[in-house]
Amino acid sequence: EEEEEEMEGWHQLYPGHIPTSPLQKALLAAGSAVMALYDPYRHDMVAVLGETTGCLALPNLRDKMKNHPEGYRILQERPRIRLSTLDMARLQGLPDGSLGREYVRFLEDNKVSPDTRMPPKFVDDEELAYVIQRYREVHDLMHTLLGMPTNMLGEVVVKWFEAIQTGLPMCVLGAAFGPVRLSTRKLQVLATELVPWAIRSGLNASCVLNIYYEQRWEQPVESLREELGIFPPP
């Protein structure tokens, strides 16, 4: 009854927001974690897990953005990376090696779309909801910068990098349990080459949410890696 009384005083903070109590968040986190581990390609469950367990990591990411000139501007202007905001023809016409051209190449080669990123629902702070939305929308750019495909091996490597960068429990869980589905040969490559590189890059790199990617499309990928502090892929 006390929980119901608390919920009655809550309201929708942004379009699609679903107010939830701590108990409801815990139940959602547990259920989504089980489903995400069973099927890592259930992006809806991965999204719910990220929102219901990011109560400590998201404020930390928001503060990093607020304390960085470019990150602060992103928080103020709230850019979105979607097909409706991207000039795909222009990006396709950029030189090979540029961020915009390589990003579009990644989308085409892996048959993915930025529009598949789910909007937040369970984050009870409007600004933090944007932070996790931004994280989701730059995820494919992380693949591009790290040179990783969307297969299970590539996703695990990106999750290791993102776990170090963001501290999101969802990323930590994916990094830790994603490898169980890999073959012995891929596990060896992961353990000896890719994970050490992803961890070193994650620790060395500045916060990847502080880059206004929409204004960097012409920048060479190698130049942006160097600026961020991401080591060249092995």
Side-chain angles (χ1 to χ4, degrees), residues 69-226:
E70 203 164 336
Y72 181 75
R73 195 152 58 87
I74 293 168
L75 280 178
Q76 295 300 304
E77 298 178 9
R78 305 282 180 90
R80 296 291 308 275
I81 299 177
R82 301 183 62 80
L83 290 178
S84 60
T85 65
L86 296 174
D87 185 344
M88 298 297 285
R90 172 175 167 266
L91 297 183
Q92 288 171 334
L94 290 174
D96 289 343
S98 64
L99 178 65
R101 182 68 191 93
E102 298 310 316
Y103 172 62
V104 172
R105 195 190 312 279
F106 168 84
L107 296 178
E108 293 171 343
D109 290 349
N110 293 279
K111 297 179 174 57
V112 293
S113 166
D115 287 359
T116 59
R117 302 300 167 191
M118 292 182 60
K121 296 179 181 178
F122 303 109
V123 179
D124 295 325
D125 180 286
E126 187 266 343
E127 191 172 46
L128 296 182
Y130 175 74
V131 172
I132 198 165
Q133 182 75 57
R134 183 66 174 176
Y135 156 73
R136 289 173 183 167
E137 292 184 357
V138 304
H139 175 75
D140 289 336
L141 283 158
M142 294 305 98
H143 276 273
T144 304
L145 285 171
L146 297 172
M148 291 294 134
T150 57
N151 59 22
M152 186 57 66
L153 181 63
E155 289 291 352
V156 169
V157 174
V158 173
K159 278 292 177 283
W160 273 100
F161 177 83
E162 291 179 339
I164 299 296
Q165 274 277 307
T166 68
L168 285 166
M170 168 199 68
C171 297
V172 176
L173 195 67
F177 290 97
V180 299
R181 295 172 177 266
L182 297 176
S183 66
T184 302
R185 183 180 63 82
K186 289 182 178 179
L187 280 173
Q188 184 177 6
V189 173
L190 186 72
T192 59
E193 296 182 35
L194 296 176
V195 166
W197 164 73
I199 291 175
R200 285 195 308 117
S201 290
L203 291 171
N204 189 64
S206 55
C207 181
V208 294
L209 293 185
N210 286 335
I211 297 294
Y212 211 138
Y213 296 97
E214 296 90 329
Q215 298 180 359
R216 306 288 198 106
W217 294 131
E218 292 86 357
Q219 185 172 354
V221 169
E222 289 186 8
S223 168
L224 186 52
R225 279 182 189 146
E226 185 176 345

